[in-house]
Amino acid sequence: MTLFRMTGLTGLFVSVAMLPLAAQAQSYPQAGYPAQGGTTSQTQIDGSVPLQGTPQQTPQIPPQVRADMERAMQYPLPPDFMTRAAATIAELQARNIQPPNSHGAGLAETISRISQIPGLAPVLQSHGFTPESFVMGMTTFGMTLAASNGQLPAGMPSPNPANVALFKAQPQQVTALMQAMGNPPH
C-alpha cells in the first residue's frame, strides 16, 4: 500500500480539506476496517461499492467540510496538472516561499490566505495557476490519492472519474509530484 504523508508547503494545500475530515473521522468507528492486519478501502477509486459484510457507517461531517470535500473530489485536474504542479512546488521551495497556517480553514479561506503571500501569485501565474486553481488542484490530487489508497473514511464522495483515469494514465507524473512534495511512494 502507498502511504500518503505530506509536510511543508504542499502539506498545507492538501490538508485544508483532509485534516478537518480526518480529525472528525477519528472519533467514529470505521465499519468494515479489519481490527488487525491490512486495511480495506471504504471509498473505491472506481466508484464501485466496497464488498464487505458489515454495514457502512458514515461519520457526521460538518456541512462546510463536506461541501469542500465534494468540491475537491469533483474538481477536474487538467492533463498537465501534475507536471506543472511539481515545477511550481520546486520553484516555491527554491524561493523559500512558505504558506500561512491554514489548519482548520476551509477551501475559500485557504485560497484567500494563499493569495496574500508575497511573491506567491507570480510564481503560480508563471506555471499557469491562480491561487484557487493551485489550492484546488493540490487538494484534489491529495484526496484522489488518499481515496485510491483507501485512506478516506466511509461515506466520502468518490473521486472524479477523469482524475482517476489521469492517475492511471500518468503514474510517473503522480510519483514525480509526490517526490516534489517530499513524499516518495512507499
Side-chain angles (χ1 to χ4, degrees):
M1 178 173 82
T2 302
L3 298 177
F4 179 67
R5 293 181 300 235
M6 283 183 280
T7 58
L9 182 67
T10 53
L12 168 81
F13 295 123
V14 177
S15 69
V16 63
M18 294 183 70
L19 286 180
L21 174 65
Q24 190 75 20
Q26 288 176 2
S27 63
Y28 296 91
Q30 298 198 7
Y33 279 95
Q36 297 175 347
T39 61
T40 303
S41 176
Q42 294 292 306
T43 304
Q44 299 295 308
I45 194 76
D46 63 3
S48 65
V49 177
L51 299 174
Q52 300 174 358
T54 57
Q56 302 266 332
Q57 198 171 11
T58 303
Q60 297 300 314
I61 299 170
Q64 185 58 52
V65 173
R66 178 167 282 287
D68 283 351
M69 296 283 296
E70 289 174 1
R71 181 179 173 201
M73 289 299 250
Q74 293 309 310
Y75 185 82
L77 294 173
D80 65 344
F81 171 77
M82 291 176 276
T83 302
R84 289 187 299 123
T88 302
I89 291 167
E91 186 172 344
L92 291 171
Q93 290 170 342
R95 292 176 182 240
N96 200 28
I97 297 175
Q98 297 296 316
N101 181 358
S102 293
H103 179 71
L107 286 170
E109 179 64 22
T110 298
I111 292 165
S112 174
R113 291 178 188 179
I114 295 299
S115 299
Q116 298 170 19
I117 298 172
L120 182 67
V123 172
L124 295 179
Q125 190 173 29
S126 74
H127 293 278
F129 291 112
T130 63
E132 180 177 10
S133 67
F134 188 69
V135 170
M136 288 301 303
M138 292 304 296
T139 302
T140 298
F141 175 82
M143 291 180 63
T144 302
L145 189 61
S148 69
N149 292 320
Q151 294 177 320
L152 292 180
M156 290 298 95
S158 294
N160 182 326
N163 295 340
V164 173
L166 185 64
F167 273 44
K168 289 179 180 178
Q170 300 181 5
Q172 296 86 4
Q173 285 84 355
V174 171
T175 299
L177 180 51
M178 290 176 64
Q179 289 172 339
M181 293 166 31
N183 297 294
H186 300 291

